[in-house]
Amino acid sequence: LYNSLKSHGPYKLIKNNINIGVVNFSNCDDSIIHTSLLDKIKYDLKEIGVTTEIEVFRAPSEVNTNALTELVHSAKEKSIDIMLPIFPDIPITEEYEEDEEDTFENEDYYVKLKSIFLGKGMPSQVVLEKTIGNRYAIGNIVLGILGKTGNLPFILAEQLHFTDLVIGLDVARKEKKKQSGSINIASS
C-alpha cells in the first residue's frame, strides 16, 4: 500500500505537517531509533508531501496511570499530533490487571497506554523494538500515522451500494513454535 501511496499520492491530506512525539520504553539505543526508524519515517512521509517534526519524550521511570497521563499532558502542551511509544519485544495482552500500586508489567504497557492515550484524545502508533529497521513495518507505521492524524491515504474507487460502513482490518500472524498453525490477532 505504501508504494502505491508513494506513486499516486494520498487521496486527501488534511494535515500536511505532523508533529510526532516519541517515547522509548525499550532497551534500544536512541541513536539506533533515530537512524533506523525515525529518519526513515520522516523521509517516507516527506515523499508523499508531509513534513514532520519529532519531539522525543523521556520515558517515565515508573510506568503507571499518573505517569502516562502526565506524558499525554506534556505531549499536548507541545502540540503533538501522534505519539510513537516504542516497546521492547513483549507479548501484547488484551487486558491488564492493575495491582494495588497501580503499576503494570511490560505485557500490560500496550493496553494501558492505548487506554490512557485514547481516553485523553491522543492518537498513538505503537512500535515494537523488533520492527525498528524493518522496511515493511515502517511503511505500515507511516500508513498508521497518516490515518490516525485525520488524513485519508486512500479511498475506494467506487461506492459500495450494498453497505453503509466499511471497516478495515489488520491481521497479524505468528507461527506457533510447538504446534502447527499460527496465532492470529485481528485489529480494526
Side-chain angles (χ1 to χ4, degrees):
L1 285 175
Y2 173 74
N3 287 334
S4 179
L5 189 63
K6 193 170 148 184
S7 298
H8 306 290
Y11 171 72
K12 189 172 189 180
L13 281 178
I14 307 293
K15 191 158 187 63
N16 62 0
N17 183 33
I18 299 174
N19 296 319
I20 300 172
V22 178
V23 60
N24 182 8
F25 293 101
S26 78
N27 297 317
C28 191
D29 185 77
D30 288 343
S31 63
I32 292 171
I33 290 171
H34 270 280
T35 57
S36 298
L37 178 70
L38 300 178
D39 290 347
K40 291 177 179 171
I41 289 172
K42 201 169 187 170
Y43 176 83
D44 284 357
L45 285 167
K46 185 177 179 183
E47 287 286 296
I48 56 174
V50 177
T51 58
T52 56
E53 296 295 326
I54 294 176
E55 177 84 26
V56 178
F57 292 83
R58 182 182 303 268
S61 56
E62 188 172 320
V63 182
N64 57 40
T65 301
N66 289 338
L68 291 177
T69 301
E70 181 58 34
L71 180 62
V72 172
H73 179 70
S74 296
K76 285 188 165 195
E77 282 182 345
K78 295 187 178 199
S79 301
I80 297 299
D81 297 306
I82 187 167
M83 288 294 291
L84 260 68
I86 300 170
F87 289 141
D89 298 332
I90 55 172
I92 295 175
T93 59
E94 292 183 19
E95 57 186 60
Y96 73 94
E97 292 181 24
E98 286 187 17
D99 60 23
E100 293 172 7
E101 298 174 8
D102 185 35
T103 59
F104 38 95
E105 300 300 319
N106 282 354
E107 296 85 12
D108 301 320
Y109 277 20
Y110 178 85
V111 173
K112 185 64 174 175
L113 183 135
K114 283 289 203 180
S115 174
I116 291 170
F117 280 29
L118 187 60
K120 301 290 181 191
M122 176 60 68
S124 62
Q125 177 66 46
V126 172
V127 177
L128 293 179
E129 190 174 331
K130 66 183 170 189
T131 62
I132 294 171
N134 178 322
R135 191 71 214 139
Y136 299 107
I138 291 172
N140 286 335
I141 292 166
V142 167
L143 286 170
I145 290 169
L146 284 173
K148 292 174 182 179
T149 54
N151 292 294
L152 300 173
F154 51 87
I155 61 169
L156 297 175
E158 296 179 22
Q159 183 177 0
L160 301 175
H161 297 287
F162 57 87
T163 187
D164 295 323
L165 179 64
V166 175
I167 298 174
L169 294 177
D170 187 14
V171 177
R173 291 186 172 88
K174 181 179 179 184
E175 259 185 56
K176 292 180 181 176
K177 292 183 180 183
K178 295 185 178 184
Q179 299 174 335
S180 63
S182 62
I183 300 169
N184 304 304
I185 298 173
S187 171
S188 65

